[in-house]
Amino acid sequence: MECIFSWVVWSSAFFFLVTLILLLKGKESKNPRRKPPGPSGLPIVGNIFDLGTIPHQTLYNLIPNYGPILWLKLGSVNTLAIQSAKAATEFFKNHDHIFCDRKCPIAVTSHNYNQGSLAIGQYGAYWRILRRICSMELLINRRINDTTHIRRKCIDNMLQFIEEDVAAAQARGESGELNLVHYLFVMAFNIIGNLTLSRDLLNSHSTEGEEFFAAMSKVMEWAGAPNLADFFPFLQRLDPQGIKKGMDRDMGRAMHIIAGLVKERTVKDNKMTKEKRINDFLDAVLEYESVGKEGPDKISNQNVIIIILEMFFAGSETTSSTLEWAMTELLRNPESMRKIKEELDRIVGRNRKVEETDINELPYLKAVVKETLRLHPPIPLLLPRNSMQETEFSGYHIPKDTQIFVNAWAIGRDPECWVEPLCFKPERFLGSNIDYKGQNYELIPFGSGRRICVGMSLADRILHLTIASLIHTFEWELGGNITPQTLDMSERMGITVRKRIPLKVVLKKCVI
Ligand code: HEM
């Protein structure tokens, strides 16, 4: 009898314990305060030193241990990382309205840049106005078609600069090895200069615009440098790395130059009737007048300068670094280079230049651009978002003011979406509907949702026409005794991800 009694007591206790554990576990998974998993950080600094010099790669390497939704504490900043296509789908489809604000780095508060910026600006009335103006000028196909001649001219100038430099080197008896990204950057910079201000700011052989270029390059360096003051607000006044001080100086120089150019144009414009004006991006911003109750009646002078500057920041390095990666991959994969050449010879032939209207007939070229952006998105963590209120995401509690990294670099390597994700294989896109326009969350180099890149259509045209023109015009070889097998593919972080060792090439004009 005693034996039966103790069995009943023990089994009841066991039953009670198991029920309690299950209840607690169930409660934990529904607990609205539960954070996503992540590495435990050090006191005060949290995970800052875990991120390393190439954060998107470090975060990607944490996926096997913590899964694709990751929690970090960077100093005092709560940070969420989204690292799979499935998590990105949930993020953009169901939560974009909460995560469409930006985290603003302290360096870009210099000269109140953030207050006039579209890319860093807070989600609200002024952002909507800027977004509308920029979309009309940069995103809408009709306007993009109107500016075809500008891209043609700047790409032709680049081809000519290359030819001249090769010829000059040959005359000196040298191999004519070129640092490709220099020419790509000047070309992209001049496209933006012509779209916004209707002028070439840089000429490969002149010093015109050099000062602006130098100031801009410094601003981009400061903006890309990791800043301790972003993670510890009490350091903001001290500016221990001197980043804000440097930014104040160089942003001031860049703004001063743009202010001069804008003034020159407004004086000219005032002497003309509206119909006779140049009708470029600057005119669109200057002519803005509020139609509704939202936002200011006009864009202030200071904010006109900021939005013009922003086009240079956003448009020149992103496109030139993508183009450098594309040419690097093609030189590393001679079979892809052969296929793209063969397609150009078949569709365009050797008697004329390749044009934007040819692009739709060049599926392999399009696949090369997609594959390059899958493996080398120039802004790998997108521009950091910020949660506008606390929310539930995939069963986790995300507090207000959490910074969000969407790791487009890791998502492009997500093994659940991509076969042999680490290989460069443009063929995967032939006959596939996957595109980078923000609807296919496995390929989001331009982001998605409300804050998707406003320059996407423009970038799309520049990337295709430049690659096609470069390959159609020149025979390509690697410089510096490098072979496809020894070509360095390591990355360097700045405002975008660049090749750590710039691509050196030897080019010969194709015989027509
Ligand atoms: C290969 C070229 C480019 C790439 C890969 C790229 C990528 C991106 C990405 C990832 C974002 C953030 C999206 C998000 O948060 O969801 C962005 C935003 C932006 N991009 Fe681009 N971009 C490129 C070229 C350009 C060009 C040519 C311009 C304009 C001249 C431009 C202007 C902007 C602006 C203004 C924003 C901020 C949009 C906002 O916050 O509302 N981009 N871009």
Side-chain angles (χ1 to χ4, degrees), residues 102 118-119 127 131 314-315 318 322 378 385 445-448 451 453-454:
R102 294 275 191 224
L118 170 65
W127 172 83
R131 181 88 199 180
T318 45
T322 307
R385 308 284 191 102
F446 292 96
S448 182
R451 302 296 295 243
C453 174
V454 79

Side-chain angles (χ1 to χ4, degrees), residues 230-419:
D230 284 331
F231 309 122
F232 303 106
F234 68 90
L235 289 178
Q236 284 175 8
R237 280 178 152 272
L238 293 173
D239 187 24
Q241 295 153 276
I243 291 178
K244 178 76 173 19
K245 190 166 165 236
M247 187 64 124
D248 282 345
R249 184 191 59 230
D250 295 314
M251 179 79 88
R253 281 168 59 204
M255 280 185 162
H256 180 74
I257 297 165
I258 294 293
L261 296 175
V262 170
K263 193 161 175 211
E264 207 177 280
R265 263 291 291 286
T266 29
V267 170
K268 237 193 224 168
D269 275 5
N270 286 342
K271 292 184 190 151
M272 287 183 216
T273 59
K274 199 170 169 187
E275 293 68 42
K276 289 208 167 144
R277 286 183 195 157
I278 296 174
N279 194 16
D280 57 12
F281 185 84
L282 175 61
D283 280 325
V285 180
L286 288 172
E287 280 166 20
Y288 166 80
E289 276 173 13
S290 162
V291 278
K293 287 194 183 113
E294 249 194 9
D297 293 342
K298 299 279 291 171
I299 311 283
S300 70
N301 272 353
Q302 167 86 351
N303 286 354
V304 169
I305 294 164
I306 292 172
I307 194 66
I308 298 285
L309 266 183
E310 182 141 302
M311 294 301 118
F312 286 95
F313 292 138
S316 39
E317 198 168 306
T318 45
T319 39
S320 56
S321 67
T322 307
L323 288 165
E324 187 186 28
W325 283 114
M327 295 316 304
T328 305
E329 288 289 9
L330 287 170
L331 285 161
R332 206 162 71 114
N333 294 277
E335 185 53 18
S336 297
M337 180 67 108
R338 190 193 61 74
K339 286 187 183 173
I340 203 169
K341 264 187 188 168
E342 184 276 323
E343 186 178 74
L344 282 164
D345 282 348
R346 188 162 37 82
I347 304 295
V348 182
R350 308 272 1 135
N351 299 325
R352 66 173 177 90
K353 286 180 197 165
V354 53
E355 301 291 346
E356 281 183 359
T357 44
D358 292 315
I359 292 170
N360 270 340
E361 309 299 315
L362 299 165
Y364 198 78
L365 168 71
K366 286 170 125 183
V368 164
V369 172
K370 286 180 188 172
E371 185 66 342
T372 303
L373 286 165
R374 179 182 75 83
L375 286 172
H376 308 285
I379 313 182
L381 300 176
L382 310 187
L383 295 175
R385 308 284 191 102
N386 190 43
S387 60
M388 296 201 287
Q389 60 188 66
E390 63 173 355
T391 187
E392 282 281 291
F393 177 76
S394 285
Y396 299 115
H397 173 73
I398 309 299
K400 184 174 186 278
D401 270 335
T402 297
Q403 156 169 262
I404 296 109
F405 295 147
V406 178
N407 194 345
W409 192 94
I411 292 169
R413 287 160 173 76
D414 183 346
E416 285 193 13
C417 307
W418 305 105
V419 180

Side-chain angles (χ1 to χ4, degrees), residues 9-42:
V9 169
W10 276 112
S11 50
S12 309
F14 178 71
F15 179 73
F16 177 74
L17 205 70
V18 170
T19 315
L20 192 71
I21 290 171
L22 287 177
L23 272 175
L24 282 176
K25 251 191 129 19
K27 205 169 172 193
E28 188 190 288
S29 63
K30 283 185 201 136
N31 181 353
R33 303 281 138 192
R34 195 167 73 111
K35 299 264 173 24
S40 53
L42 296 168

